[in-house]
Amino acid sequence: MYKHFFKRTFDFMLALFGLVVLSPLLVIVTIALYFANEGKPFFFQLRPGLNGEIFKIIKFKTMNDKKNEAGNLLPDGERLTKMGSFVRKTSLDEIPQLWNVLKGDMSLIGPRPLLPEYLPLYNETQKRRHELRPGITGWAQINGRNAISWKQKFEYDIWYVEHLSFVLDCKIVFLTLKKVMKTEGINAVGAATIERFNGN
């Protein structure tokens, strides 16, 4: 009952409440990133959601679009702005995804939505992460976030799919807030972003 009805109801109500309460903060961060990223405060990207259906995710943009002489984007670490680093460290970049939750593309809690090009690389077990709507936070996020391996991340995702419950979601919310305050596991070790998934 919770999985098929109440979870979506709670998602909608809490996302709406969050957008209203956090609207002043959203405006401030939007203005700050507008200037930091030369007029581009938001980041849009296609991601697979429930049953692998593609949707457009929205986040705050933490890296600029500066390129080298050859016209290629500079490495992630060089494009991460000071404001972007702060936004990412405090997890403020995730807040716009409340709009995705409101629309029904995402859930507050679930496996994180990854890149569409990863879809053909999943084995049969890993594909099960798409049995649920992707989440802003999830079991993998509170157990290491970007500091753990892809193997561990997928194992946590599938464990969540198999053990979904209201009590577990409440636990994840509490532990997520704790992680955010400690700013743990934001980046992969020695990198500004997590390494790409290349299959098993």
Side-chain angles (χ1 to χ4, degrees), residues 7-79:
K7 183 174 175 65
R8 174 61 192 146
T9 302
F10 290 147
D11 279 341
F12 183 88
M13 294 173 61
L14 292 175
L16 181 61
F17 176 77
L19 284 171
V20 172
V21 172
L22 297 173
S23 56
L25 181 60
L26 282 166
V27 171
I28 293 172
V29 176
T30 299
I31 294 173
L33 289 176
Y34 178 87
F35 291 104
N37 297 327
E38 302 176 352
K40 298 178 180 179
F42 296 106
F43 170 79
F44 299 91
Q45 193 174 54
L46 297 178
R47 299 287 177 93
L50 180 65
N51 299 319
E53 293 186 13
I54 304 299
F55 71 97
K56 185 176 290 185
I57 195 173
I58 176 173
K59 299 178 67 174
F60 276 128
K61 189 176 175 66
T62 58
M63 294 187 288
N64 59 41
D65 296 321
K66 291 184 177 180
K67 301 178 180 180
N68 58 25
E69 295 179 355
N72 299 316
L73 287 173
L74 293 172
D76 292 345
E78 296 181 31
R79 294 189 295 116

